[in-house]
Amino acid sequence: MSRNYYKSLLFQDLGTPNEKIWPGFKQLPAVQKMKFTEYPVSNLRSRFSMLTELGISMLGKFLTYDPQQRVTAEDAMKHSYFGEAPLPIDPAMFPTWPAKSELGHRKALAASPKPPSGGKEYKQLGGDGDDDGYGFRIGISAVDSRRLAMGGGFSLKF
């Protein structure tokens, strides 16, 4: 997509910039060479109907065309939008876990879950290892499995 297409989308939601909302706009070099479709000022309320008035106010301050009037990050943090419900959670309330890379090798190994013991249940089924080299089979005896052609089904080798 072209830059002009994206400008058109932006202008549809924010309105086409003009001297009233951005003093000095007409003197910008690129503006003197282009013709823009005129869209009414700010369509944000219909686009973001889920936001409160304070939310729309803050969004409008971020999306102001004139860089001299646009809100700074410091001023945005003081905006009353952050005082309405739901209130932000204190960062200390978020759970944290140390990165394994910060624990050192031995502590990282200790922090990892232990693998299951395994093998005990298999031995209780009557097998004490891989006697025939064909692995573990469900529902088929070792003798029958040798008669079957290799193909469909599955076998698990332990």
Side-chain angles (χ1 to χ4, degrees), residues 58 61-62 68-82:
M58 184 164 166
K61 290 178 184 293
F62 279 122
Q68 300 300 318
Q69 296 177 25
R70 197 174 304 134
V71 70
T72 64
E74 187 176 332
D75 289 340
M77 293 299 296
K78 297 173 188 170
H79 194 278
S80 51
Y81 169 76
F82 291 113

Side-chain angles (χ1 to χ4, degrees), residues 35-101:
K35 175 83 172 124
F36 300 113
T37 305
E38 291 293 324
Y39 292 100
V41 176
S42 190
N43 194 20
L44 291 178
R45 167 54 56 209
S46 61
R47 182 88 161 159
F48 299 97
S49 60
M50 77 293 290
L51 288 177
T52 63
E53 287 302 317
L54 289 173
I56 291 292
S57 167
M58 184 164 166
L59 186 60
K61 290 178 184 293
F62 279 122
L63 298 176
T64 298
Y65 286 120
D66 185 357
Q68 300 300 318
Q69 296 177 25
R70 197 174 304 134
V71 70
T72 64
E74 187 176 332
D75 289 340
M77 293 299 296
K78 297 173 188 170
H79 194 278
S80 51
Y81 169 76
F82 291 113
E84 70 178 0
L87 294 175
I89 295 175
D90 186 307
M93 299 290 291
F94 288 106
T96 59
W97 295 271
K100 285 187 176 183
S101 61

Side-chain angles (χ1 to χ4, degrees), residues 100 103 107-115:
K100 285 187 176 183
L103 293 176
K107 287 185 179 180
L109 289 175
S112 296
K114 302 293 180 221

Side-chain angles (χ1 to χ4, degrees), residues 11-16 18 20-21 39-44:
F11 294 167
Q12 287 175 31
D13 284 335
L14 300 179
T16 306
N18 56 43
K20 183 179 177 185
I21 61 173
Y39 292 100
V41 176
S42 190
N43 194 20
L44 291 178

